[in-house]
Amino acid sequence: DMRAAFDYDFNTLPKGRFRLWAFMAIVPLVTFNKSARFLGAAFDAAFKDPIIHDALIENWVGVPDGLETNFKVCEDFNTSAQRVQDVAHLVINGFMPEDLKKYKKVLEIGGGYGDMCSVVHDMGFEGEYTIFDFPEIHQLQEYYLSKNDITAKYVSDWQDLETYDLVIATWSLSEIPLELRENIMSKIGESTNWLVCYQSNAFSGTLDNSQYFKDKFKNRNPEFTFIRESAYDGDNLYMRVKND
């Protein structure tokens, strides 16, 4: 039902204001949360590295002129909470411009409206970027990224996945039903580097995601870092595997 609703919105609502669509906030596909941890990490890295500084600057695609202030997180830097969060995920886990420039293939599981893909490219990535998501959401990602002159590969069938230099999954892999998750992992499990944000409890309440990732990556030297506590889905954490 949600996929059908989004498809209808995409094909009827003005795309130039997509970040204001109700669907974007309900899912959510855009964040308004101003997390101190993310703000601190993103701005600290930005003022140390000019590449990260420029990547943190918003492009405002999907926000009508004059409404940028509804999304800005501070007066003296032109950025949004979404941009801050995506930059922070990378820098907190040590995926810096010099790393991203080396990678040939990146996979993002659940790509939102495409902001992480945009950030990764702005931080120097020049290879093939694949987004695994629903076809309905791919429409928006392609629209957004085309406005940023970025071409991505869009995959909706897990059988079309392969191994990658970096897998990014921010609150997505942990939300996928276990059978499909196992199918996905059978294709991408040997990928080199991983940046995963996850909630400790699956939505069904029957799966401990922390134990799942510890077991799945037990021979890969995974690192786990606390992000925040949530009454809805338990602790939220990072899992990082960085092998190069």
Side-chain angles (χ1 to χ4, degrees), residues 143-181:
Y143 169 81
Y144 171 81
L145 292 172
S146 69
K147 295 294 185 180
N148 288 282
D149 297 319
I150 295 171
T151 300
K153 180 179 179 181
Y154 303 98
V155 172
S156 296
D157 187 338
W158 64 268
Q159 296 181 83
D160 295 328
L161 297 172
E162 49 192 72
T163 57
Y164 301 86
D165 298 311
L166 172 63
V167 175
I168 301 172
T170 57
W171 292 288
S172 56
L173 190 58
S174 57
E175 299 176 8
I176 294 173
L178 187 56
E179 182 179 357
L180 177 55
R181 194 188 308 189

Side-chain angles (χ1 to χ4, degrees), residues 34-99:
K34 299 177 178 66
S35 166
R37 179 168 191 193
F38 296 153
L39 288 165
F43 283 116
D44 182 63
F47 289 116
K48 291 177 179 177
D49 187 321
I51 296 176
I52 299 174
H53 176 281
D54 291 349
L56 188 58
I57 297 173
E58 253 291 356
N59 53 63
W60 299 119
V61 173
V63 179
D65 291 343
L67 295 183
E68 295 90 349
T69 55
N70 294 338
F71 294 84
K72 289 183 70 174
V73 297
C74 53
E75 295 180 355
D76 59 346
F77 199 103
N78 188 28
T79 195
S80 67
Q82 185 67 56
R83 202 76 174 175
V84 164
Q85 179 171 284
D86 289 333
V87 169
H89 289 329
L90 293 165
V91 301
I92 288 173
N93 290 281
F95 293 103
M96 308 299 280
E98 56 267 28
D99 298 298

